[in-house]
Amino acid sequence: MATMTMAKALNAALADAMLDDERVLVFGEDVGQLGGVFRITDGLQARFGDKRCFDTPLAEAGIVGFAVGLAMSGLRPVVEMQFDAFAYPAFEQIASHMAKLRNRTRGALSVPMVIRVPYAGGIGGVEHHCDSSEAYYAHTPGLKVVTPATVEDAYSLLREAIADPDPVVFLEPKKLYFASGEAELPARTAPFGRAVVRRPGTDATLVAYGPAVPVALEAAEAAREDGWDLEVVDVRTIVPFDDATVTASVRRTGRCVVITEAQGFAGVGAEIAARVQERCFHALHAPVLRVAGLDIPYPAPMLEHTHLPGVDRVLDTVARLQWDDRPDPRWLAQGSAA
Amino acid sequence: MATMTMAKALNAALADAMLDDERVLVFGEDVGQLGGVFRITDGLQARFGDKRCFDTPLAEAGIVGFAVGLAMSGLRPVVEMQFDAFAYPAFEQIASHMAKLRNRTRGALSVPMVIRVPYAGGIGGVEHHCDSSEAYYAHTPGLKVVTPATVEDAYSLLREAIADPDPVVFLEPKKLYFASGEAELPARTAPFGRAVVRRPGTDATLVAYGPAVPVALEAAEAAREDGWDLEVVDVRTIVPFDDATVTASVRRTGRCVVITEAQGFAGVGAEIAARVQERCFHALHAPVLRVAGLDIPYPAPMLEHTHLPGVDRVLDTVARLQWDDRPDPRWLAQGSAA
Amino acid sequence: MTTTPQAVRRASPRTRRPATPVAPDPTAGLLPQTAPVRLLDPDGTPLPPRADLPAPPVETLREMYRRMVVGRRFDAQATALTKQGRLAVYPSSRGQEACQVGAVLALRDDDWVFPTYRESMALTARGIDPVEVLTLLRGDWHCGYDPTVVHTAPQCTPLATQCVHAAGLAYGESYQGRDTVALAFIGDGATSEGDFHEGLNFAAVFKAPVVYFVQNNKYAISVPLSRQTAAPSLAYKGVGYGVPSEQVDGNDPVAVLAVLTRAVAHARAGHGPYLVEAHTYRMEAHTNADDASRYRDPDEVEAWRDRDPVARLEAYLRSRGELDDAAVAQIAAEAEAYAADLRDRMHAQPTVDPLSLFEHVYAEPTPQLVEQREMVRAELAADAEGDA
Amino acid sequence: MTTTPQAVRRASPRTRRPATPVAPDPTAGLLPQTAPVRLLDPDGTPLPPRADLPAPPVETLREMYRRMVVGRRFDAQATALTKQGRLAVYPSSRGQEACQVGAVLALRDDDWVFPTYRESMALTARGIDPVEVLTLLRGDWHCGYDPTVVHTAPQCTPLATQCVHAAGLAYGESYQGRDTVALAFIGDGATSEGDFHEGLNFAAVFKAPVVYFVQNNKYAISVPLSRQTAAPSLAYKGVGYGVPSEQVDGNDPVAVLAVLTRAVAHARAGHGPYLVEAHTYRMEAHTNADDASRYRDPDEVEAWRDRDPVARLEAYLRSRGELDDAAVAQIAAEAEAYAADLRDRMHAQPTVDPLSLFEHVYAEPTPQLVEQREMVRAELAADAEGDA
Ligand SMILES: Cc1ncc(C[n+]2csc(CCOP(=O)(O)OP(=O)(O)O)c2C)c(N)n1
Ligand SMILES: Cc1ncc(C[n+]2csc(CCOP(=O)(O)OP(=O)(O)O)c2C)c(N)n1
Ligand SMILES: [Mg+2]
Ligand SMILES: [Mg+2]
């Protein structure tokens, strides 16, 4: 086992995929000589030449549409969006073409391509650089949506994404890029569609993915002081979703909190909460609660800590899981006012 | 009371708004002389002149961005996207500018504008003409998201939207355009943020909006045969959401099914289900269930009836609301396999 | 623009201050001619031959005539099928036959076409089964043909998006050592979309072998060209990308074929993309569901009848002795047979298995889709029981 | 392009076939000159005056010099503030002073500016409080000034999106009878975005009074111009929209001001938009966080030092007797004072109320936001208790 950053593991995954498969092309804005603003493509152009790793004109719809065309010609494009909100110009290409081409042609044209998106916040970035955009993709049938929380998963899931026959939106939590972890490369953790229990526990399940996973783990650690033994499930692939692992955990613990960094309203956290209560209703001692970003545009750096779900907010929420089996006064009050 | 179509009511709302407020401009693709492909802007150019109702170049980002600029200059643009999926090219302008400009400038610049989107299916339209795109907007803080289900609401909510100080995505259910209803214009039903009980009932609550409301009402009618007395709540404004009306209903009935035409995964239906169980947990006799479109790209016309949530699927789901208080075997089987 | 009797090169002498050195013209080879290229007069009389634009071989023109006649008959049949309820909707390309067929004849079979909804005629002219071409509009699936077999992308509805795909595919083909060319069709209205800009620019920067072929039929549904652009003409957009451009009389079959042949050769030779604007006219409404009388003058339509591309090519070929009454009759009969066959085959109501909805969303259905498939399967079984 | 000693008009005589009528040139007035307009040599020596481009009044040039010197000092101070941790990030516009200040001087106070993140210097030159300009980069809020007061949109990060806003605002102003002009700044890289295309096109079709001002500083972060476009130069994009265009030496303050003044006058007179491309150079890295040594040669940067716009204008004004050592020293002192004041004021750590997060999402917070505000309020109260 070696210690390395997620950035390094992602870089290695790209390099190994390029080595293994000549059809893999890596392109986007500043990914060539610069190696990307986060250096995820560092050295790839030098190593594989500027036909396999190259800069494009500055146009995201163009990048994604160009990749769709390349995939049609039999290549395997892996493109980078420089930041989350800068993928929005490509939304039509993503939703109407990349996601649908296989379906439109009854499988005749597949689009094996990957869009890498550095996403979410916690890095003090200015506006438009810290959006949590996973729900937009997860809500679009035809896309697979994946996000690693550990160094090993970063490598493994990115290799999986590049090898996958379907288009994948690969979300890289920016704040974890330079966090170090143990990994032995080439790591292969699990195929798509497998969540993992990152920490076993008996009293309640925290479900999280991407940047929220370390928060969940930290909260679980802190909760021991309060006498709670919390289980943490890392979703890993949002689409396809691993109901089996999540529901098995919640059935065991009887309580569940879903943690996402994204604004909560109509987010992936809502989907998880809805699924869990659908499937575990009789095992639940309390409603499935959510801890999410506030329903506001991502704030300026000096206020991001208030926006982001932190350990305290998670613990406050765990405390509301009706340990004494009384209804939550917070909702009761509101309901009776109606 | 007169009988009229929703299309006519929307047309009247635009005309009355233009009459009342000189700052209101209506523009988009084919909205001028043609009166829009659904004729919602019929006659406006003839009546108000081609400076107040006009065609633009064929470019949706351009239309929305132009409207943002016009709103900055003090006008009140009301733009039409020709079909749901053709608003995707404007996604960046919607998410990064229209939704955020007030926030970015601490309220100095407001963007009182309306994007009208004919949305959802059921009209036998070819691909890209029938998307249910409400979740993309509802998940974007800063936008209000509204969708009428009745002729009166169509008029009233559109007037409200045009008068609102915030940017509004106004979703018009295509399949209801030419359905007739009773209305006395100028109708004013309710301000934003008020759901309404369309049909009282005691046994379970069906929560729906837009194109799903008639389905819910029909299902409630049919359910009488099965001995169920179902309440139907029409959400009307997805953002801001009326928790009070919805939770009050579910607390009364103890059971809830959320019906949306959109693909279910990470949709607005998930949000409603998550909220309802959070807020009504102790009143619930069964999990909140969802009936949604399938998680597939909107199908070709000949298969759309299989995709769309219909009365039978709603009733099947109501039947699963654990009337005998036994767990749903469907989910149990799956959970134990894990 | 089409009133100038003969295409001319840009010619106005620019005022030049004396004593400044003459810089090479950076626009050389990039700007279109100031009037659309024309090789036949509207009545079919040939104009003087041009050294820079070899006339297409006459056998090709005869074949072009044949496909245009069959294409027009196909188009009429498709419109008729909407009236009989066999097609949900049909966007006619009547009047655009020279463009639709010219593009196909300028390409090899292994070249790729990126069509819009308007190109049904081009696709049938390419030899794709008309029933497969009309699948989208009949409504049994989104695309009826296998793009990899016929080298034709699905007909594209989201406007201009195919411009970028064409750039990517063309670059990908050349990257893999193939000399394939891609031709992307696009309408005048769609040139206003950002994707047109991004497609041209990517193609130019990567020297992708793509021909962008704008059929400027003067309307985007109801919106006239004057609301799309203030440019002298759409072909003037090329220079801003460093892409050589030409405009052509889109109702002159000989000129269309000549200009497109040159454009394809340019692309195939590795010189990068080429932009061609054809001035033509949509003779019918936008689709059968549209009411063109709301926004355009019947006189305008009438005026364009005199520039009919089929009659024009017929007159030309007759005048050259390449076509006679017998040949015309034989081609007309072929067209009738084609239409009759199509009508018969479209008569059968297709059956589509509802469970196929769950295929092809992903290579393998997700667990979520498997669950939903089981739900639908149960519903279908219950329905069948109820029916029995 | 900047090596041609004197701007010249496009001049290559095109081969014309005899006996064809001469059509009027449809590009007349739309194409830029073949080389960037230059009015001063790099060493400040004036070039022969031009009839078509009146030289700006000398008082304006003196004022321009003053603002360029202050602007450069401001820019250096902002970079220093990043090192002191007072700013999260800063994109320098060193080297682009002629463009930043020229644009501001070509406008009236009630004209609107649509800046990008690069335009901090332009905004301070416009008289906006530098602390308000730097709010975005310090991180207490997204925009520190009130756009309606200073007629300046928030600095725009999503590239090219402001091009469309500028068209809308400018059209809206003229619609309401005001003769306001909007000037949208944009970089070379951002011209590749679809919104640049759509913005120019909307402005042209609606004859909106906008000047699109491309600062072609040769890089988009690390990506050189050759990867953005194959066009002869970015100014050649105008003709495709019917928009008159010009290119100018962006390090020649006199030429920049003259060309922009003409462009603004064109727009204000109701003739619609105008596209100006200024050839300049980003002397620093993209931002302080960027490492330009990874992608560009120091020699290239050195070469551009010789074309420094501030020194050039100073030399010119001195040669005309409009500036002497005392004046230069006085302006330098003013710049120092400006920077010192900024440094002092940026020293204070701003406090931002967390509850302000819930304001300005909507005119009134939604019930959902009210709930969330109560949650945060409770958290803050608990924290305060914990601290106490
Ligand atoms: C992105 C997008 N916006 C809007 C539409 C709706 N629409 C379909 S056809 C059409 C007009 C297209 O005009 P043009 O490009 O000139 O092509 P033509 O129909 O004349 O062949 C419009 C607005 C669409 N299909 N895609
Ligand atoms: C839509 C979008 N895509 C990507 C980015 C990330 N980005 C910020 S600056 C920049 C380069 C811009 O270059 P240019 O337009 O030449 O302006 P300059 O920075 O040189 O002034 C990039 C790619 C962005 N801000 N917006
Ligand atoms: Mg057209
Ligand atoms: Mg630049």
Side-chain angles (χ1 to χ4, degrees):
Chain A
M1 285 295 209
T3 301
M4 69 181 77
T5 61
M6 185 183 281
K8 183 85 206 97
L10 292 166
N11 180 263
L14 290 172
D16 290 353
M18 292 176 86
L19 209 57
D20 281 8
D21 187 345
E22 278 211 325
R23 297 169 304 168
V24 175
L25 303 188
V26 171
F27 55 95
E29 296 159 7
D30 300 292
V31 300
Q33 215 169 328
L34 184 62
V37 294
F38 291 106
R39 303 291 185 268
I40 308 301
T41 58
D42 194 21
L44 298 180
Q45 185 172 83
R47 187 159 162 205
F48 296 100
D50 64 3
K51 296 270 171 248
R52 298 210 43 214
C53 175
F54 53 88
D55 293 328
T56 64
L58 208 172
E60 292 77 11
I63 292 170
V64 173
F66 196 69
V68 167
L70 285 170
M72 286 172 67
S73 84
L75 297 167
R76 294 201 160 240
V78 180
V79 306
E80 176 173 302
M81 299 280 102
Q82 199 158 84
F83 285 88
D84 30 67
F86 306 145
Y88 299 159
F91 193 67
E92 182 191 34
Q93 286 288 350
I94 295 172
S96 292
H97 292 289
M98 178 171 128
K100 296 196 171 113
L101 208 42
R102 172 188 290 282
N103 184 256
R104 294 170 66 205
T105 62
R106 289 191 173 108
L109 278 177
S110 60
V111 193
M113 60 178 278
V114 180
I115 301 187
R116 296 180 36 249
V117 186
Y119 87 120
I123 58 158
V126 297
E127 55 172 359
H128 311 295
H129 288 73
C130 295
D131 281 19
S132 286
S133 42
E134 68 270 21
Y136 299 131
Y137 307 118
H139 186 56
T140 305
L143 301 178
K144 291 180 176 167
V145 184
V146 182
T147 179
T150 68
V151 174
E152 285 213 313
D153 265 357
Y155 180 93
S156 179
L157 291 171
L158 184 51
R159 292 299 305 269
E160 194 78 23
I162 297 171
D164 199 88
D166 291 309
V168 179
V169 177
F170 190 87
L171 299 159
E172 304 173 358
K174 283 193 285 287
K175 77 167 189 196
L176 303 184
Y177 268 149
F178 301 105
S180 290
E182 294 290 300
E184 181 119 53
L185 301 191
R188 294 315 275 260
T189 56
F192 279 3
R194 298 276 175 81
V196 63
V197 175
R198 289 265 174 237
R199 181 191 195 284
T202 53
D203 296 343
T205 302
L206 304 182
V207 182
Y209 55 80
V213 172
V215 177
L217 288 169
E218 211 188 312
E221 214 43 54
R224 287 166 61 176
E225 281 180 33
D226 297 310
W228 289 312
D229 181 17
L230 304 183
E231 179 147 310
V232 175
V233 176
D234 175 357
V235 166
R236 292 205 282 211
T237 68
I238 299 173
V239 179
F241 189 80
D242 182 355
D243 280 309
T245 301
V246 172
T247 55
S249 170
V250 178
R251 293 228 176 100
R252 263 194 319 269
T253 62
R255 287 180 169 84
C256 179
V257 173
V258 185
I259 311 171
T260 61
E261 185 178 313
Q263 63 275 20
F265 198 88
V268 171
E271 176 61 38
I272 299 176
R275 301 183 85 73
V276 167
Q277 63 85 34
E278 271 163 10
R279 284 146 208 264
C280 307
F281 186 71
H282 290 271
L284 283 172
H285 303 304
V288 180
L289 297 182
R290 291 177 285 166
V291 183
L294 307 169
D295 287 311
I296 62 174
Y298 197 90
M302 286 191 192
L303 290 176
E304 70 177 357
H305 61 281
T306 306
H307 171 69
L308 295 172
V311 169
D312 286 345
R313 200 169 287 164
V314 173
L315 292 178
D316 286 354
T317 308
V318 168
R320 286 172 44 231
L321 287 172
Q322 305 175 26
W323 300 93
D324 51 7
D325 252 321
R326 272 178 312 168
D328 189 333
R330 180 153 150 172
W331 302 145
L332 269 198
Q334 191 217 29
S336 50
Chain B
M1 284 293 207
T3 301
M4 70 181 76
T5 61
M6 186 183 281
K8 183 85 208 96
L10 292 166
N11 179 262
L14 290 172
D16 291 353
M18 291 176 87
L19 209 58
D20 280 8
D21 187 346
E22 279 212 324
R23 297 168 305 167
V24 175
L25 303 189
V26 171
F27 55 96
E29 296 158 7
D30 301 292
V31 300
Q33 215 170 328
L34 183 63
V37 294
F38 291 106
R39 305 290 186 268
I40 309 302
T41 57
D42 194 22
L44 298 180
Q45 184 173 82
R47 183 157 166 207
F48 296 99
D50 65 1
K51 295 270 169 249
R52 296 207 47 211
C53 175
F54 54 88
D55 293 327
T56 64
L58 208 173
E60 292 77 11
I63 292 170
V64 173
F66 197 70
V68 167
L70 285 171
M72 287 172 67
S73 83
L75 296 167
R76 294 202 159 239
V78 180
V79 305
E80 175 173 302
M81 299 281 103
Q82 200 160 84
F83 285 88
D84 30 67
F86 306 143
Y88 299 159
F91 193 68
E92 182 191 33
Q93 286 289 351
I94 295 172
S96 291
H97 291 290
M98 176 171 130
K100 295 195 171 114
L101 208 42
R102 172 188 293 279
N103 184 258
R104 294 169 66 205
T105 60
R106 287 190 172 109
L109 278 177
S110 60
V111 193
M113 61 179 275
V114 179
I115 301 187
R116 295 180 35 248
V117 187
Y119 87 121
I123 58 158
V126 297
E127 54 172 1
H128 310 297
H129 288 74
C130 296
D131 281 18
S132 285
S133 43
E134 68 270 22
Y136 299 131
Y137 307 118
H139 186 57
T140 304
L143 301 179
K144 291 181 178 167
V145 184
V146 182
T147 180
T150 68
V151 174
E152 284 214 313
D153 265 358
Y155 181 93
S156 179
L157 290 172
L158 184 51
R159 293 297 308 267
E160 194 78 22
I162 297 172
D164 199 89
D166 290 309
V168 179
V169 177
F170 189 86
L171 297 159
E172 303 173 359
K174 284 193 284 287
K175 75 165 190 197
L176 302 184
Y177 267 149
F178 301 106
S180 290
E182 294 290 300
E184 182 118 53
L185 302 191
R188 294 316 274 259
T189 55
F192 280 2
R194 298 274 174 82
V196 64
V197 175
R198 289 264 174 238
R199 181 191 194 283
T202 54
D203 296 342
T205 302
L206 304 183
V207 181
Y209 54 81
V213 171
V215 177
L217 287 169
E218 211 188 313
E221 212 45 53
R224 288 166 58 177
E225 282 182 33
D226 297 309
W228 290 311
D229 180 18
L230 305 182
E231 179 147 313
V232 175
V233 176
D234 175 357
V235 166
R236 292 207 281 212
T237 69
I238 300 173
V239 179
F241 188 81
D242 182 356
D243 280 308
T245 300
V246 173
T247 54
S249 169
V250 177
R251 294 227 178 101
R252 260 193 322 266
T253 62
R255 287 180 169 83
C256 179
V257 173
V258 184
I259 311 171
T260 62
E261 184 178 314
Q263 63 273 22
F265 199 88
V268 171
E271 176 61 39
I272 299 175
R275 302 183 85 73
V276 166
Q277 62 87 33
E278 274 162 10
R279 284 148 207 263
C280 307
F281 185 73
H282 290 273
L284 283 173
H285 303 304
V288 180
L289 297 183
R290 291 178 283 166
V291 182
L294 307 170
D295 286 312
I296 62 173
Y298 196 88
M302 287 193 193
L303 290 175
E304 72 177 356
H305 61 281
T306 306
H307 172 68
L308 294 172
V311 170
D312 286 345
R313 200 168 288 163
V314 173
L315 292 178
D316 286 354
T317 308
V318 169
R320 286 172 46 229
L321 286 173
Q322 305 174 27
W323 301 93
D324 51 7
D325 251 321
R326 271 178 313 167
D328 188 334
R330 181 155 151 171
W331 303 143
L332 269 196
Q334 191 217 32
S336 50
Chain C
M1 310 248 34
T2 46
T3 52
T4 321
Q6 172 93 19
V8 289
R9 287 242 158 230
R10 258 182 340 107
S12 75
R14 314 293 299 262
T15 10
R16 197 194 326 160
R17 281 181 296 143
T20 52
V22 175
D25 183 353
T27 67
L30 299 177
L31 287 167
Q33 305 196 17
T34 53
V37 172
R38 188 179 272 188
L39 296 176
L40 294 184
D41 260 348
D43 64 4
T45 313
L47 294 162
R50 300 173 44 129
D52 62 332
L53 208 60
V58 74
E59 315 81 72
T60 313
L61 292 175
R62 262 202 330 249
E63 178 61 15
M64 188 170 185
Y65 173 75
R66 192 182 71 82
R67 296 200 204 181
M68 284 168 66
V69 170
V70 175
R72 173 168 291 184
R73 186 63 191 84
F74 159 79
D75 191 78
Q77 187 59 51
T79 298
L81 286 166
T82 63
K83 299 202 178 102
Q84 296 150 22
R86 293 285 161 204
L87 279 186
V89 65
Y90 180 72
S92 166
S93 40
R94 188 179 183 93
Q96 304 180 208
E97 289 85 354
C99 298
Q100 299 267 322
V101 174
V104 165
L105 286 175
L107 295 171
R108 292 195 322 226
D109 278 356
D110 64 337
D111 287 334
W112 272 76
V113 167
F114 286 78
T116 78
Y117 51 87
R118 175 96 42 224
E119 270 69 64
S120 297
M121 193 193 291
L123 302 201
T124 56
R126 254 209 134 186
I128 306 179
D129 182 336
V131 173
E132 292 184 2
V133 170
L134 295 176
T135 298
L136 168 74
L137 304 169
R138 177 163 66 175
D140 34 328
W141 203 269
H142 308 301
C143 175
Y145 48 87
D146 181 337
T148 62
V149 171
V150 295
H151 298 105
T152 303
Q155 288 185 268
C156 193
T157 303
L159 294 164
T161 54
Q162 75 280 10
C163 292
V164 206
H165 307 154
L169 177 116
Y171 179 74
E173 291 285 307
S174 67
Y175 176 85
Q176 289 170 92
R178 298 189 281 269
D179 70 343
T180 321
V181 168
L183 182 142
F185 284 97
I186 179 169
D188 47 317
T191 63
S192 297
E193 291 278 6
D195 277 10
F196 171 77
H197 174 77
E198 300 190 15
L200 250 79
N201 196 39
F202 269 69
V205 165
F206 291 108
K207 273 188 172 282
V210 196
V211 175
Y212 290 102
F213 183 35
V214 182
Q215 286 172 87
N216 176 354
N217 63 7
K218 307 296 180 290
Y219 286 90
I221 309 184
S222 71
V223 181
L225 187 64
S226 59
R227 264 292 141 116
Q228 290 311 336
T229 188
S233 192
L234 296 167
Y236 287 89
K237 291 184 182 288
V239 63
Y241 308 97
V243 172
S245 310
E246 192 53 279
Q247 52 178 328
V248 60
D249 177 342
N251 286 20
D252 174 347
V254 181
V256 168
L257 185 57
V259 166
L260 285 176
T261 300
R262 186 174 65 183
V264 169
H266 171 96
R268 197 172 328 271
H271 302 316
Y274 202 105
L275 173 66
V276 176
E277 175 192 22
H279 295 269
T280 181
Y281 195 78
R282 197 192 73 204
M283 296 302 291
E284 302 290 331
H286 175 66
T287 69
N288 57 297
D290 177 37
D291 175 6
S293 72
R294 281 187 157 245
Y295 54 82
R296 67 181 185 186
D297 195 333
D299 290 353
E300 183 183 287
V301 184
E302 276 319 304
W304 277 88
R305 281 199 208 290
D306 298 340
R307 309 185 208 168
D308 181 51
V310 179
R312 193 156 168 184
L313 184 54
E314 182 178 328
Y316 171 68
L317 289 173
R318 280 185 187 266
S319 76
R320 298 242 345 222
E322 296 287 344
L323 207 62
D324 57 16
D325 287 352
V328 166
Q330 196 212 311
I331 291 170
E334 187 198 331
E336 278 311 318
Y338 188 94
D341 177 62
L342 173 62
R343 190 178 51 232
D344 292 349
R345 292 167 61 216
M346 291 294 285
H347 208 71
Q349 179 71 11
T351 55
V352 216
D353 178 6
L355 293 178
S356 67
L357 284 177
F358 302 95
E359 288 169 53
H360 316 311
V361 181
Y362 301 94
E364 299 290 333
T366 61
Q368 286 69 42
L369 284 174
V370 169
E371 264 182 36
Q372 293 171 25
R373 187 173 60 194
E374 293 321 301
M375 175 185 76
V376 169
R377 201 194 295 281
E379 288 174 357
L380 294 171
D383 286 357
E385 240 169 67
D387 291 351
Chain D
M1 312 252 27
T2 47
T3 52
T4 320
Q6 173 90 19
V8 287
R9 286 244 158 226
R10 255 179 348 101
S12 76
R14 315 291 302 260
T15 12
R16 199 195 324 160
R17 280 181 296 143
T20 52
V22 175
D25 183 352
T27 66
L30 299 177
L31 287 166
Q33 305 196 16
T34 54
V37 172
R38 189 179 271 186
L39 296 176
L40 294 184
D41 261 347
D43 64 4
T45 314
L47 293 163
R50 300 171 44 129
D52 62 332
L53 207 61
V58 74
E59 316 81 73
T60 313
L61 293 175
R62 262 202 330 251
E63 178 61 13
M64 187 170 188
Y65 172 76
R66 191 182 71 82
R67 295 200 204 181
M68 285 169 66
V69 170
V70 176
R72 174 167 290 184
R73 186 64 191 85
F74 158 79
D75 190 78
Q77 187 60 49
T79 297
L81 286 166
T82 64
K83 301 204 175 97
Q84 296 151 23
R86 293 284 160 206
L87 278 186
V89 65
Y90 180 72
S92 166
S93 41
R94 188 180 182 92
Q96 304 179 206
E97 290 85 354
C99 297
Q100 299 267 321
V101 174
V104 164
L105 286 175
L107 296 170
R108 293 195 319 227
D109 280 355
D110 63 339
D111 288 332
W112 271 77
V113 167
F114 286 78
T116 79
Y117 50 87
R118 176 93 46 223
E119 270 70 63
S120 296
M121 193 193 290
L123 303 201
T124 55
R126 255 209 136 187
I128 306 179
D129 182 338
V131 173
E132 292 183 0
V133 170
L134 295 175
T135 298
L136 168 74
L137 304 168
R138 177 162 69 175
D140 34 329
W141 203 268
H142 309 301
C143 177
Y145 47 88
D146 180 337
T148 61
V149 171
V150 294
H151 298 104
T152 303
Q155 289 186 267
C156 191
T157 303
L159 293 162
T161 52
Q162 75 281 9
C163 292
V164 204
H165 307 156
L169 177 116
Y171 179 74
E173 292 284 308
S174 67
Y175 176 86
Q176 290 169 91
R178 300 190 279 269
D179 71 343
T180 321
V181 168
L183 182 143
F185 283 97
I186 179 167
D188 47 319
T191 64
S192 297
E193 291 278 7
D195 278 11
F196 172 75
H197 174 77
E198 299 189 15
L200 251 79
N201 197 41
F202 268 70
V205 166
F206 291 107
K207 274 191 172 279
V210 196
V211 175
Y212 289 102
F213 183 36
V214 181
Q215 286 172 88
N216 176 356
N217 64 7
K218 307 295 180 290
Y219 287 90
I221 308 187
S222 71
V223 181
L225 187 64
S226 58
R227 263 293 142 116
Q228 289 312 334
T229 189
S233 193
L234 296 167
Y236 287 88
K237 291 184 182 288
V239 63
Y241 307 98
V243 173
S245 310
E246 193 53 280
Q247 51 178 329
V248 60
D249 178 341
N251 286 22
D252 174 349
V254 181
V256 168
L257 185 56
V259 166
L260 285 175
T261 300
R262 187 175 62 182
V264 169
H266 171 96
R268 198 173 326 272
H271 303 315
Y274 202 105
L275 173 66
V276 176
E277 176 192 21
H279 294 269
T280 180
Y281 196 78
R282 195 193 75 202
M283 296 303 289
E284 302 291 331
H286 174 68
T287 68
N288 59 297
D290 176 39
D291 174 6
S293 74
R294 283 188 155 243
Y295 55 82
R296 70 181 186 186
D297 193 333
D299 290 353
E300 182 183 289
V301 184
E302 275 319 303
W304 278 90
R305 280 199 208 291
D306 298 339
R307 310 185 208 167
D308 180 52
V310 179
R312 196 157 165 180
L313 185 55
E314 181 178 330
Y316 171 68
L317 290 173
R318 279 186 187 267
S319 76
R320 300 244 342 223
E322 295 288 344
L323 206 64
D324 57 17
D325 287 352
V328 167
Q330 196 214 312
I331 291 170
E334 187 197 330
E336 278 312 316
Y338 188 94
D341 176 62
L342 172 62
R343 190 176 51 234
D344 292 349
R345 289 168 62 215
M346 291 292 285
H347 208 71
Q349 180 70 13
T351 55
V352 214
D353 178 5
L355 293 178
S356 67
L357 284 178
F358 302 95
E359 288 169 53
H360 316 310
V361 181
Y362 301 95
E364 299 290 334
T366 61
Q368 286 70 40
L369 285 174
V370 169
E371 264 182 35
Q372 294 172 24
R373 186 173 62 194
E374 292 323 300
M375 174 185 76
V376 169
R377 199 193 297 282
E379 287 174 357
L380 294 170
D383 285 358
E385 238 169 66
D387 290 353

